[in-house]
Amino acid sequence: MYQNILTENREQIFYITINREDKLNALNIQTLTDIKNAVLSIYEDASVRGVIITGKGSKAFAAGADIAEFANFNVEEGTKMSAEGHAVLRAIDNCPKPVIAAVNGFALGGGNELAMACHIRVASENAKFGQPEVNLGITPGYAGTQRLAQLIGKGRALEFLMTADMLNAQQAYAFGLVNHVVPQDQLMAKCEEILNKIKGKAPMAITSVIRCVNAYYEKRADGADVEINEFGNFFGSEDFMEGTRAFLEKRKANFAGK
Ligand code: COA
């Protein structure tokens, strides 16, 4: 079904593993297409409550866009590549279920951009982050200039993008680029722990949190208006009634997702 990724649905978590270990999981166009289709396939799938994206092997999450593939692109092809990459990462960012990047090694260029499009990032101790595009004579093309500034602030982003310096996991944590740093053998368990916690919450409220937070960064939306609207709509939902009733009755809520 997919050429360059492995997928698995286990205990309501959908795992996407980039499967190009010999190329350090470099993101060629087929791989990005696979990731986009896999993510879109679970948007409406009630058996999935969260997604983990990782890279095969212990060396790389993804070492960037595939340099060999785009090395001879012209202006038109380069523009198309960037627009398509943006669309793939938007599909992740707008996913109605929480998406976690399990960064198990190099996250460079498009790899770091992929991780930044996920809602949460967990890094193993050997992870390394970088946007080395200026070394290749280009800028990041998969929203790296936008999301990096959102995550770590404009000044740090500009330095990081212009120097092409790599950050190790602890530096990435100190900058707020990743939420957690764990030993490599505990990486998936940490991601699962976070998703299992989220699984206990009302699914529609989780989707709404993602939509409201994303709205802040949408140029055409007013985040405050979106939040007011989303908040008000909950007052007609079963989960809201169940959640508030459970609190008042001093019991654990049992959400139906309606
Ligand atoms: N695109 C295409 N192929 C890539 C790649 C990329 N972004 N990153 C790594 N590879 C390939 C290498 O060409 C090599 O393939 P080969 O064995 O057929 O020659 C294989 O993956 C292993 O990489 P190698 O460079 O030998 O590993 P290393 O341990 O010496 O170095 C890196 C690791 C990550 C420092 C180095 O691969 C690198 O700098 N990659 C490019 C990072 C980059 O600029 N990304 C942004 C792209 S826009």
Side-chain angles (χ1 to χ4, degrees):
M1 189 170 167
Y2 301 113
Q3 284 181 36
N4 292 335
I5 61 170
L6 305 170
T7 61
E8 187 186 1
N9 185 357
R10 190 161 24 99
E11 291 175 27
Q12 298 183 299
I13 296 176
F14 188 64
Y15 297 80
I16 299 175
T17 305
I18 305 162
N19 190 24
R20 296 189 77 210
E21 195 176 352
D22 59 331
K23 296 291 175 191
L24 302 188
N25 299 319
L27 299 168
N28 61 5
I29 289 164
Q30 182 61 50
T31 307
L32 284 172
T33 305
D34 284 352
I35 292 171
K36 182 178 173 194
N37 290 337
V39 170
L40 290 176
S41 79
I42 58 87
Y43 264 42
E44 307 292 332
D45 184 343
S47 74
V48 173
R49 300 290 304 278
V51 180
I52 298 175
I53 301 180
T54 194
K56 186 91 191 294
S58 56
K59 190 167 171 187
F61 174 72
D66 191 316
I67 299 169
E69 186 175 62
F70 71 69
N72 294 315
F73 277 7
N74 60 26
V75 170
E76 198 185 319
E77 290 165 323
T79 308
K80 185 165 177 266
M81 172 188 165
S82 179
E84 285 173 0
H86 271 249
V88 173
L89 300 196
R90 257 198 317 272
I92 295 170
D93 210 359
N94 291 329
C95 180
K97 329 270 168 94
V99 184
I100 301 186
V103 183
N104 53 310
F106 288 113
L108 302 178
N112 190 42
E113 290 168 306
L114 172 63
M116 291 194 296
C118 297
H119 302 131
I120 294 169
R121 282 150 295 287
V122 180
S124 59
E125 284 165 344
N126 66 321
K128 286 218 166 67
F129 300 81
Q131 294 288 160
E133 286 86 349
V134 292
N135 291 334
L136 301 169
I138 50 174
T139 60
Y142 295 162
T145 59
Q146 307 300 296
R147 290 203 178 91
L148 189 64
Q150 289 164 12
L151 282 167
I152 69 173
K154 183 178 172 186
R156 280 175 172 156
L158 280 166
E159 181 181 339
F160 190 53
L161 292 166
M162 292 193 288
T163 60
D165 281 347
M166 273 194 216
L167 298 180
N168 64 32
Q170 284 304 336
Q171 289 168 320
Y173 178 72
F175 279 13
L177 183 55
V178 302
N179 299 52
H180 304 277
V181 179
V182 295
Q184 186 149 41
D185 62 356
Q186 291 167 33
L187 181 62
M188 297 314 275
K190 183 67 193 175
C191 297
E192 287 157 359
E193 178 194 316
I194 297 168
L195 288 180
N196 285 334
K197 204 179 280 182
I198 297 172
K199 271 199 289 195
K201 320 295 179 198
M204 290 194 309
I206 297 303
T207 300
S208 187
V209 164
I210 294 169
R211 214 162 27 222
C212 289
V213 172
N214 281 351
Y216 179 81
Y217 301 98
E218 276 281 331
K219 299 225 169 14
R220 281 179 291 277
D222 182 319
D225 283 348
V226 171
E227 188 185 280
I228 290 166
N229 218 6
E230 294 276 334
F231 183 78
N233 284 339
F234 276 109
F235 286 73
S237 76
E238 282 180 30
D239 280 356
F240 167 72
M241 282 188 280
E242 167 61 11
T244 46
R245 211 175 286 145
F247 175 81
L248 294 172
E249 292 169 5
K250 300 190 189 304
R251 62 175 171 80
K252 194 172 179 316
N254 187 12
F255 294 116
K258 292 182 193 158

